[in-house]
Amino acid sequence: MTWTLDSGQEIISHPSETNREQKPLWDHLTGVSDRAAAVSENSRSQTESPLSNKARLLGLAHDFAKATPAFQRYIRDEFYDPPKHHARLGSLVAYFFLEQNGYERETRLAGMLAVAKHHGDVPDAASYIRKTFDEPRIDPVGSNQTIQAIEQAKTIEEHAETFARDLFREAVGEGAWNDFLEKIGYVSDSPILTDIVEDAGKKGGFAGELEVKGTRFNESIYTTHLILFGALTFADKTDAAGIGSDDNRLWGKYPSLDKLETHLNELGGEPQNDIENQLNEVRTEVQDEIPAQTHEFLESNQSVATLTLPTGYGKTFAGLLAGLTLCDDHDGRLVYALPFTSIIDQTSGTLQEVFETDTSGNLLTVHHHLAETRTDTENEEEDETDEHASHEVLLAESWRTGLTLTTFVQLFESLAGPRNGQSLKLSALQGSTVIIDEPQAIPQHWWPIVRKLINMLTEQFDAQVLLMTATQPSLVEGSFELIPSEQLLEIEQSAFTGDPPSRVQYQLHPTALVTENEDRLSHPDGANLLAETIVSGDTTLAICNTIESTRTLTREFVDSISESKTDPVTVSELYEEQLDEDEIGGLSATKEYDGKPRPSIERGRLVRAVVEELRTKETAAYLHLTTRVRPCDRQFLLAVANDLAGMDILFALISTQLVEAGVDISFDTVYRDFAPLDSIVQAAGRCNRSYERAPETGVTTVWQLEPPGEGNTPPSTAVYAPNRNRGETDLLMHTRSVLETVRDEHGTAFADEVLAKDAIERYHDTVGERVHSVSESNDLVTAFEQADGKTLREASLIERRQSVEVYVCRTKEEHDSATAIESLMKERKFDKVDSKRDELASIRVSIPVPRANTDAASGILSLEPLLDEEEKRHDPERILPASNSIFDPEYGVQPSEYGVEDRFF
């Protein structure tokens, strides 16, 4: 059947475009309704459970106001008399549908808000209701959208009565349209507005203002709103983009547990010594225990499990094994969340190898903030651009593949207070398994709200959550231990024929626990100690807290080595020389060939070049890494560093914390600038990782560096000092207290088990107790409990400041690809623009906007804008040729000034 206006014009939702016919509004509403219901149940079948039926009703309501003659003329690019907006009337229709179907007050408000903002972001519910429904008749010129929505209903009755009657019959039953017209009433008397006001609060005060009661907007409304909002935005955008319900990309392909088990069985390699052979036995025993323990977890009716394994015990594979076992039981997706983008690549490579896939198919999505460069501000005007969205970007942001690898930022910020695009992924979490790897890296201010978000995942989304790390924080209560400590000890004693040998010896440098700047270690003295260690024959890793500290230590190290030997070999310089040869490294290193990542033979060429240079010069080699180095270069160079660290050469890696978690690399010796205890333990995980030095141990030294340059704030304080106003506790104080106790009991040198067990557990118990004790005053928790999505949307796990996104082009191919984006935009080839941006994400570096009227600001802002020369000062994206003085092959992008923002995060 074709529905038309009284003029005979067909009622459509989207116009015809290249490769797509126009879409009838009826088909769009029913299509969105069916899809929203289906994804609410995480299946392709349309069910009538309470959750899916709520989503079904919102889908029918959301674009109802597009049936006005004004919108039909607008969408055909004809002259029209305003208004053309449709979300406000759609929200009133959604409220009516839910009310008529017997849903309670909380659901009515949550559903109404979901439709009202389906082109926007989650709002502060109370503020939105107050602004929208507090005496809408006071606007004398009739521009108030609520007044206009009432008039739109009358217009639809006049021009599209049959369409309205049929749609309302579909949602409620015979006669529902007449009931709605009576309910919506008139500007002077609208019963439905009165009902909404009574649901939200009451009229009061001298002027009869709407008093929105805070108790009326609670956690239950908010979580219901998030679920319905996510289902609706996903269904609406994918249907508008022309992605059919039979498109396999909507449902994804799930990872195979059998493939993982086969991969684990085929893992081999000759162990370097007896202890490494025994370590392999521990890994195998742990993996053998995981399936049975996971089934026991399922039978326990608990929803959160923990997996706590020391460094080198195969945590990633054990976690994947548990996760896929849970997925098999739940028939749901697997979401694997890591703390930092810098460690995504290695895990992605592992997943591609295990499941014999790549990121272009329906099995694996890798999604993090490098795919996003702009943050749109909330706008009262609706954005009618769903039909232009790239299929690839929509589906990537929707996490529809069976396995998604992402970051804490994407997971927790999307759950807490999503922007419109972030909400697309929420429906994919229904019935999923979520692995949170290295949860101790979650900023402590977020711990109380993350506890609530995990609870929402397990209760409202019916998800299973697995927290896994070597240093388990006190994040949740009452979790299920997949490998209890007693069981792990039995496994260790069986494999090692007694207690496991020490892997690392910790040493506290005399400066480790000092509190005054004059007592801290200078960078030149630290560099001398580093050089002495290298010259003695140990491969060495030094982890600094800030970018400037890392640069300073690197430069001092070069000077120190040069005093006793010839100038050291700079791995970055050799990389620069080879970058254009046969597409080694750079952007080409991230490409896939025959569906697989480029073989390691390419990095082997650089390794051989380093070794040959060392033989010629008889000196040491070094590599400097921070987040100012392009992601693709970091990925390639970390793999090279791992190869060099395993060789009998003089080699040092000087880096920020980007190597601290999730990077499979091992050195003889590690130096760690003072940091929270879990960071110190994680750093030690890069030392003698698989007992390569056995029977000797590795050595991890904790020192405390003084402020670099002319600054007064030591790097440890700059990064980890608490913000007292946010209810955070002093992690450095607790670390110092624990280490002082350890020093008093064991001296300044002690085995790794001293820290990795009792001390770290005591530390996390203390920190967790302090953090959760003030959770009631936590602003994020308060916002969550009051349905204040705006506050949560503006919060972030990482410190945000205005930044410039710089595309660093080191080859002609990279520069041509970056400059091609502007012409693609002008040609409105949006899919290709999104694909090109995604392709170039690995050469993009985010630079905090320098202070105005400085050399750094003029240098960055003078770069070629990615898109529009006329908007040069406002465009946050720039193109940086490698020939520009702002770029250095060793240090990456380096404006002429550095600040506290020059840190890992």
Side-chain angles (χ1 to χ4, degrees), residues 501-798:
S502 291
R503 181 179 56 82
V504 170
Q505 182 187 58
Y506 285 93
Q507 290 186 355
L508 297 179
H509 188 269
T511 64
L513 305 180
V514 301
T515 57
E516 301 297 331
N517 275 349
E518 57 266 25
D519 297 326
R520 293 183 170 95
L521 184 68
S522 70
H523 285 76
D525 288 344
N528 289 336
L529 183 54
L530 189 59
E532 290 173 7
T533 306
I534 291 293
V535 172
S536 71
D538 285 355
T539 58
T540 302
L541 166 66
I543 300 177
C544 301
N545 284 322
T546 67
I547 290 175
E548 186 180 3
S549 176
T550 310
R551 288 192 187 99
T552 303
L553 185 63
T554 301
R555 289 167 177 153
E556 296 292 347
F557 169 76
V558 171
D559 291 343
S560 184
I561 286 289
S562 300
E563 289 178 1
S564 59
K565 292 180 173 291
T566 58
D567 291 346
V569 174
T570 310
V571 176
S572 297
E573 286 186 2
L574 294 178
Y575 175 65
E576 169 80 359
E577 293 173 7
Q578 297 193 3
L579 192 58
D580 283 323
E581 295 181 10
D582 299 325
E583 295 186 312
I584 183 174
L587 185 60
S588 64
T590 66
K591 293 182 179 179
E592 292 165 352
Y593 298 80
D594 298 325
K596 295 182 179 180
R598 177 176 282 275
S600 61
I601 188 172
E602 303 300 341
R603 74 170 186 265
R605 186 182 308 165
L606 180 55
V607 170
R608 289 193 296 274
V610 172
V611 173
E612 183 61 32
E613 192 88 353
L614 286 174
R615 287 173 180 165
T616 302
K617 294 185 174 181
E618 295 185 352
T619 186
Y622 76 96
L623 175 65
H624 165 280
L625 285 181
T626 73
T627 51
R628 292 295 173 82
V629 175
R630 304 186 308 174
C632 60
D633 298 333
R634 292 203 310 264
Q635 176 186 357
F636 190 87
L637 290 171
L638 271 172
V640 170
N642 189 44
D643 292 342
L644 295 174
M647 304 175 71
D648 187 18
I649 60 173
L650 307 184
F651 174 63
L653 170 60
I654 305 173
S655 173
T656 54
Q657 307 96 317
L658 66 86
V659 299
E660 197 166 86
V663 177
D664 190 6
I665 195 167
S666 183
F667 288 81
D668 297 330
T669 301
V670 170
Y671 289 93
R672 181 62 169 96
D673 194 7
F674 187 60
L677 191 61
D678 51 1
S679 295
I680 292 172
V681 173
Q682 290 288 339
R686 312 312 118 191
C687 183
N688 194 29
R689 188 173 178 82
S690 295
Y691 293 92
E692 301 92 348
R693 287 172 55 91
E696 297 180 16
T697 64
V699 178
T700 294
T701 299
V702 181
W703 61 24
Q704 192 169 177
L705 294 171
E706 69 178 5
E710 298 178 358
N712 295 315
T713 305
S716 56
T717 303
V719 175
Y720 301 110
N723 182 343
R724 299 288 186 182
N725 294 328
R726 302 174 70 194
E728 296 178 341
T729 190
D730 190 337
L731 299 179
L732 298 182
M733 176 189 71
H734 295 306
T735 299
R736 188 174 284 108
S737 175
V738 168
L739 290 180
E740 285 174 346
T741 300
V742 170
R743 181 192 59 192
D744 293 343
E745 295 177 355
H746 301 276
T748 58
F750 43 87
D752 56 346
E753 53 265 27
V754 173
L755 277 195
K757 294 184 179 178
D758 294 342
I760 194 68
E761 185 175 339
R762 187 164 66 251
Y763 168 82
H764 277 309
D765 285 347
T766 302
V767 171
E769 182 179 345
R770 295 290 180 88
V771 171
H772 293 302
S773 67
V774 296
S775 62
E776 291 183 1
S777 60
N778 182 283
D779 59 332
L780 301 182
V781 170
T782 300
F784 192 79
E785 292 174 343
Q786 295 180 356
D788 181 1
K790 183 176 184 294
T791 293
L792 290 166
R793 191 176 69 249
E794 293 171 351
S796 178
L797 271 81
I798 56 178

Side-chain angles (χ1 to χ4, degrees), residues 3-11 67 69 73 155-162:
W3 284 266
T4 64
L5 297 174
D6 59 346
S7 64
Q9 189 177 51
E10 184 177 8
I11 302 172
R73 286 193 290 271
T155 302
I156 291 174
E157 162 69 5
E158 182 180 350
H159 296 285
E161 178 187 3
T162 301

Side-chain angles (χ1 to χ4, degrees), residues 279-307:
L279 178 61
N280 287 335
E281 290 183 31
V282 172
R283 294 168 178 157
T284 301
E285 284 294 320
V286 167
Q287 291 163 9
D288 288 345
E289 290 292 330
I290 287 292
Q293 290 292 108
T294 304
H295 285 296
E296 188 174 330
F297 165 59
L298 288 167
E299 293 171 1
S300 72
N301 293 321
Q302 293 176 259
S303 298
V304 180
T306 57
L307 179 61

Side-chain angles (χ1 to χ4, degrees), residues 47 75 142 298 353-354 490 669 689 741:
T47 65
I75 204 170
L298 288 167
E353 180 181 359
V354 169
E490 291 178 4
T669 301
R689 188 173 178 82
T741 300

Side-chain angles (χ1 to χ4, degrees), residues 47 49 64 168 171 190 224 247 259 344 347 400 429-430 442 482 501 528 576 745 795 825 859 864:
T47 65
S49 72
F64 171 70
F168 275 64
S190 176
T224 302
D247 193 320
K259 277 196 173 180
I344 286 274
T347 306
R400 303 309 296 178
L429 295 170
Q430 198 73 35
I442 298 171
L482 284 183
N528 289 336
E576 169 80 359
E745 295 177 355
M825 282 291 291
E864 178 186 359

